[in-house]
Amino acid sequence: QVVCNCGGQAKVGSGGRPNGWRQAFCELIVALVYDPSRCIEASSTPLRETRMKGVELVLDAYKGSGIYRRQKSNKGQISRLIQNAHFKANQITASQIHTMAGKINTKPEALKGITLKPMLTTDSTPVQSESLWAEKPALVFLVRRLGCQLCRNHAQMLSSKTSIIKDELGFNMIGITHQTVDAEDFVKGYWKHSLYHDEDRSMYKAIGGGELRWGSFLDLIKPQTWKNIWDGMRSGAKGNFQGEGMILGGLYILGPKDSGIHYEWIEKTAGDKTDPDEIVEVCRKIKKELESNK
């Protein structure tokens, strides 16, 4: 059974019929295909299979309804929508669905015991990853490429919330990089916080479910990529083409000591960004939860 919380009161299940198609059909397709955070998937089946089954149930029910038969002139458009829905559903991996649905894909132990080297400090003694959030909760930003205009824009946006996230709420703000080129420009111009070198790329493997997640040159044909590029150009951030830019990053919000991973965001396409206001709200909720658990 797949239930969409799209507001259209549409429900698809074994033997069930969807209700309110005129209001719900488009929103339901969008929710199933583009916005998994608005859907609840059956826990007894793999996420990807559930996603595909949900799309099939919705489309089969719609094609069997009177609305589909009455809209003969729109059959070509509906056919294209069906094809696009299946294509999109196949492109989204289980780990991406987990993340977009607000679930945590990374196992907490995967972030422990990782050797990180402080950058741009007088003391470059390597530290263990868990020491960075041992006493305080932490926002940990895994940067794809330090010289990337889009990554710098993202860093700039997160840093604009420093007065709330760090000063008011008491979170450490930590940057992680898998390379060293352009570190000084990145920190001084855009990040403004501590930066650590993950030479073994262990944190990048952790957020990838045990292996590195690589971008693709095919991303250049995606509208989202061009939107990201346009946003970066408008931001005023300066960039270059130095360094490895295909290893995708992400962001964690971690509780102190062993309280675990409270939030995970995985970069799906080069230049994707979190919403800084949403990150602030997440930090506020985590702060409140931690205080209530004392």
Side-chain angles (χ1 to χ4, degrees), residues 55 70 89 101 114 128 148 165 174 221 224-225 234 240 260 278:
V55 171
R70 289 195 298 272
I114 297 173
Q128 293 298 292
C148 171
I165 296 173
I174 299 160
I221 67 174
Q224 183 61 43
T225 301
R234 291 192 304 169
N240 58 56
E278 178 185 337

Side-chain angles (χ1 to χ4, degrees), residues 200-202 204-205 208 210-214 247-248:
D200 295 332
R201 300 171 173 174
S202 298
Y204 292 84
K205 292 175 184 176
E211 58 186 27
L212 295 175
R213 296 176 59 257
W214 294 83
I247 298 175
L248 299 172

Side-chain angles (χ1 to χ4, degrees), residues 224-248:
Q224 183 61 43
T225 301
W226 289 100
K227 179 183 182 301
N228 294 341
I229 292 172
W230 175 244
D231 289 344
M233 292 173 63
R234 291 192 304 169
S235 72
K238 305 296 182 183
N240 58 56
F241 295 98
Q242 298 182 59
E244 171 59 68
M246 301 299 285
I247 298 175
L248 299 172

Side-chain angles (χ1 to χ4, degrees), residues 25-44:
F25 176 70
C26 290
E27 286 194 35
L28 185 53
I29 289 297
V30 169
L32 283 168
V33 179
Y34 298 99
D35 188 5
S37 66
R38 297 164 70 187
C39 295
I40 304 170
E41 71 287 335
S43 59
S44 59

Side-chain angles (χ1 to χ4, degrees), residues 5-215:
N5 301 322
C6 68
Q9 298 181 343
K11 180 176 180 179
V12 178
S14 57
R17 276 299 196 193
N19 300 314
W21 276 110
R22 286 185 176 85
Q23 296 79 27
F25 176 70
C26 290
E27 286 194 35
L28 185 53
I29 289 297
V30 169
L32 283 168
V33 179
Y34 298 99
D35 188 5
S37 66
R38 297 164 70 187
C39 295
I40 304 170
E41 71 287 335
S43 59
S44 59
T45 57
L47 288 171
R48 192 165 183 167
E49 292 181 15
T50 301
R51 191 177 186 76
M52 286 299 298
K53 186 63 177 176
V55 171
E56 290 170 4
L57 287 168
V58 170
L59 295 173
D60 287 345
Y62 181 73
K63 286 190 290 183
S65 70
I67 294 174
Y68 180 85
R69 290 191 295 272
R70 289 195 298 272
Q71 293 178 338
K72 293 181 180 179
S73 61
N74 292 332
K75 282 189 177 181
Q77 180 181 354
I78 292 168
S79 177
R80 288 191 294 274
L81 176 61
I82 292 170
Q83 292 173 7
N84 190 46
H86 280 283
F87 174 78
K88 289 289 187 181
N90 270 321
Q91 298 304 304
I92 298 176
T93 65
S95 63
Q96 290 169 349
I97 294 171
H98 259 308
T99 302
M100 289 186 284
K103 297 183 179 180
I104 305 300
N105 185 53
T106 307
K107 295 180 179 179
E109 55 268 25
L111 296 181
K112 294 182 178 180
I114 297 173
T115 300
L116 302 171
K117 186 177 180 179
M119 303 183 73
L120 307 176
T121 63
T122 54
D123 184 3
S124 59
T125 303
V127 301
Q128 293 298 292
S129 51
E130 60 267 30
S131 68
L132 301 179
W133 52 86
E135 301 299 328
K136 293 182 177 182
L139 180 155
V140 181
F141 177 34
L142 278 63
V143 187
R144 181 170 49 82
R145 185 169 68 84
L146 298 177
C148 171
Q149 182 186 49
L150 311 183
C151 299
R152 290 179 170 187
N153 178 31
H154 193 185
Q156 196 169 254
M157 292 169 65
L158 291 170
S159 289
S160 71
K161 303 297 182 181
T162 297
S163 61
I164 302 174
I165 296 173
K166 185 175 182 179
D167 301 338
E168 178 186 335
L169 301 176
F171 283 68
N172 286 329
M173 296 183 70
I174 299 160
I176 304 292
T177 177
H178 57 84
Q179 52 199 325
T180 58
V181 63
D182 282 319
E184 186 171 357
D185 286 348
F186 179 80
V187 171
K188 290 184 176 179
Y190 306 96
W191 180 232
K192 312 291 187 182
H193 302 288
S194 58
L195 183 68
Y196 291 82
H197 183 207
D198 180 8
E199 188 174 3
D200 295 332
R201 300 171 173 174
S202 298
M203 294 197 74
Y204 292 84
K205 292 175 184 176
I207 205 165
E211 58 186 27
L212 295 175
R213 296 176 59 257
W214 294 83

